[in-house]
Amino acid sequence: MSESVPEAAAVPPAAAIVTEPESDPAAPAPVGVARTATGNAEVDAGLERLADADHLATDGHVEVYEDVHRGLRDALTALDARPGPPAPSSPYPTSPMSHQSRS
């Protein structure tokens, strides 16, 4: 009689064991917020930059958010600096005489 272990009872090699990956709550995870293009190249670039935060740990988000905030602030400042159309003329007289009371 042989005392050998039957093959069915043998321990499978480590490579054959499949385990589920452990979920790490601190690991970066995409937020899944859709970003819709605005049509303004500077603003759209900022929105795309926000996607970088999906791949960073939480402590790396601040740098991305500050960078996007700076870009959006610059885009708004540029809008204020652009000359716009001339203001419409007033239908009311603007001479100093028109503000005097009539006696």
Side-chain angles (χ1 to χ4, degrees), residues 5-39:
V5 177
E7 261 188 64
V11 177
I17 299 174
V18 178
T19 59
E20 301 252 347
E22 292 186 28
S23 175
D24 181 5
V31 178
V33 176
R35 294 173 216 33
T36 305
T38 65

Side-chain angles (χ1 to χ4, degrees), residues 44-69:
D44 291 343
L47 290 174
E48 287 303 313
R49 173 79 168 105
L50 284 175
D52 294 343
D54 284 348
H55 309 289
L56 298 172
T58 307
D59 60 350
H61 290 189
V62 173
E63 180 182 339
V64 172
Y65 296 153
E66 286 177 348
D67 186 38
V68 171
H69 182 258

Side-chain angles (χ1 to χ4, degrees), residues 82-98:
R82 290 183 193 152
S89 60
S90 173
Y92 305 105
T94 57
S95 70
M97 296 300 284
S98 64

